[in-house]
Amino acid sequence: MPTISMCMATVKGDPADRETLSRILNDHKAWLEDPAKGRQAYLRNMNLEKADLSGEDLSFADLTGAWLKEAKLAGTKLKGAVLDGAFMHDADLTGADLRGARLSHAKACHACFKRADMEQAILTGSVLWESDFEEANLKGAILTAAELCDCDFTAADLSYADLYCANLDYTVFRDADLKYARIGYAENSFYADFKSADLTGVDFSECPLNEGSTEGATGFHPHMRCPEEGSFIAWKKCRDDRIVKLLIPETAARTGVCADTCRASKAVVLDIRDAENGSCEEAVCCYDRDLIYRKGETVCPEEPFDDRLLTDGSGIHFFLTRKEAELFEPGEDEDDPAEDQEDCIDDKEDTKQ
């Protein structure tokens, strides 16, 4: 399959006039009835900005790279149409028929696809930021690697859809039908909203989920990343890039559901290494200076451990591989009262001088 360019479509000329569009639409209508009499609509790279094509029949038309910014396509028939690379920002496709249409690498930010029929449509690599798919039919649609940031799929049908490696940053799937959808390795799934959705058979491989993001969802059966029973080795990064080798004992409660990190109620410190792999006797937790890991000691959180579906919570946070721990980049430290006091003293001394 040839590679489809991600660059902007090359649009030729001023916006198409209504007379030209009417001729193309009439020829296309005749072609749909009898290919020997009419002519298929060829709108490749055409400037259709703000064009009113509401309710028209453009089934199987070629709109590759077309400029459809703010175009009116409500109720338009686009079954089997080719819109690869089309520019569709702010376009209105409410109730449009896009069954089996191709929109690979299309740009359709702020577009409206409410109640559109997009069954088995292909949107691979499309940029669809902040678009509205409320109550749309996307059954079996392919959205692999699509940019779906801030999109609204409330009550949409996404059963059997493929969202593999899609960007789900603040994407809303409330009350959506996602039965047997493929969402593995999606980016920013931690911020997606799956409340009250049907998640029966959904593949969430390597997809961290936020606390409460699946509240009220049905058919959700998360997998444990860490062993559910027995003891095992785990890894943790502390301050100064020190890597701590831990033993999670058999008696420790643990959780690690659809998240990169796991937690346990206690852990035994087996070894500590610095950035040069030198041996160390102790290491300080990145987020809690009072939590110190020392060789041979068992560490436990001060707060009671809970094993609910939480990514943040009490417990000893760890990774299952040393590589994951080494690559971990802690967030900015919270203000340390002692350091703040020292800084305040330094500032006063500077002021006196």
Side-chain angles (χ1 to χ4, degrees):
M1 181 178 292
T3 301
I4 299 172
S5 174
M6 288 293 289
C7 63
M8 184 128 358
T10 302
V11 182
K12 300 179 181 179
D14 297 325
D17 59 83
R18 188 65 203 179
E19 183 179 344
T20 301
L21 279 179
S22 295
R23 177 178 51 80
I24 294 174
L25 292 170
N26 288 332
D27 288 346
H28 186 69
K29 182 179 180 180
W31 177 81
L32 289 172
E33 295 174 355
D34 185 354
K37 294 181 180 179
R39 183 178 182 182
Q40 181 183 14
Y42 185 83
L43 301 164
R44 182 181 286 250
N45 296 330
M46 185 173 287
N47 189 343
L48 297 169
E49 183 171 352
K50 298 183 179 180
D52 188 354
L53 298 167
S54 302
E56 299 288 356
D57 192 344
L58 284 166
S59 300
F60 307 104
D62 186 351
L63 292 107
T64 303
W67 187 271
L68 290 158
K69 186 176 186 293
E70 298 181 43
K72 298 177 182 178
L73 297 156
T76 302
K77 295 181 181 179
L78 290 158
K79 180 181 178 182
V82 180
L83 295 110
D84 292 338
F87 189 86
M88 306 167 70
H89 285 5
D90 299 294
D92 182 6
L93 293 102
T94 303
D97 183 355
L98 288 151
R99 288 174 293 168
R102 285 171 40 190
L103 298 93
S104 292
H105 301 294
K107 285 81 174 172
C109 299
H110 313 287
C112 182
F113 294 91
K114 276 188 175 181
R115 298 181 297 281
D117 191 347
M118 306 178 72
E119 185 169 347
Q120 296 186 337
I122 300 172
L123 298 101
T124 304
S126 292
V127 180
L128 304 164
W129 298 335
E130 299 182 28
S131 288
D132 190 348
F133 293 88
E134 188 174 351
E135 298 182 2
N137 176 20
L138 290 132
K139 185 175 182 179
I142 299 175
L143 296 108
T144 307
E147 293 286 337
L148 305 176
C149 309
D150 291 294
C151 283
D152 186 356
F153 289 94
T154 299
D157 186 351
L158 286 148
S159 55
Y160 301 95
D162 191 344
L163 293 89
Y164 189 78
C165 292
N167 191 340
L168 306 182
D169 198 15
Y170 293 100
T171 309
V172 175
F173 295 99
R174 291 196 178 196
D175 298 303
D177 184 351
L178 285 151
K179 287 194 295 288
Y180 302 103
R182 185 179 180 227
I183 307 181
Y185 293 87
E187 295 183 44
N188 298 310
S189 57
F190 182 84
Y191 302 103
D193 183 352
F194 295 97
K195 291 184 178 68
S196 302
D198 188 342
L199 303 177
T200 303
V202 174
D203 174 14
F204 275 115
S205 299
E206 300 299 323
C207 289
L209 297 179
N210 192 11
E211 174 185 355
S213 64
T214 58
E215 182 181 351
T218 58
F220 180 55
H221 299 292
H223 65 277
M224 283 280 285
R225 294 194 72 243
C226 61
E228 296 186 54
E229 298 179 349
S231 59
F232 59 92
I233 301 298
W235 304 86
K236 182 178 185 70
K237 176 182 274 189
C238 286
R239 290 176 181 268
D240 302 317
D241 291 331
R242 294 190 177 185
I243 301 298
V244 182
K245 184 178 182 180
L246 301 168
L247 172 68
I248 309 301
E250 184 176 3
T251 55
R254 72 286 303 269
T255 183
V257 181
C258 295
D260 294 330
T261 57
C262 304
R263 294 181 296 112
S265 60
K266 59 183 175 180
V268 180
V269 180
L270 300 179
D271 191 22
I272 303 173
R273 296 284 168 170
D274 61 21
E276 283 72 40
N277 203 36
S279 181
C280 303
E281 289 302 314
E282 65 178 36
V284 181
C285 178
C286 291
Y287 299 103
D288 183 357
R289 293 176 184 271
D290 295 327
L291 183 56
I292 300 174
Y293 294 79
R294 296 185 176 92
K295 277 187 180 181
E297 293 188 2
T298 298
V299 287
C300 303
E302 292 185 1
E303 298 180 7
F305 179 81
D306 65 76
D307 59 358
R308 293 176 297 173
L309 180 58
L310 301 171
T311 53
D312 294 317
S314 63
I316 306 302
H317 291 245
F318 60 86
F319 291 94
L320 294 176
T321 66
R322 176 169 182 160
K323 189 65 175 179
E324 287 177 293
E326 291 174 342
L327 292 174
F328 175 66
E329 294 292 340
E332 294 183 4
D333 298 336
E334 295 183 0
D335 295 336
D336 186 286
E339 288 186 354
D340 289 345
Q341 187 175 8
E342 291 176 4
D343 291 340
C344 184
I345 293 173
D346 290 339
D347 291 340
K348 287 181 179 180
E349 292 295 328
D350 291 340
T351 303
K352 290 180 181 178
Q353 294 176 5

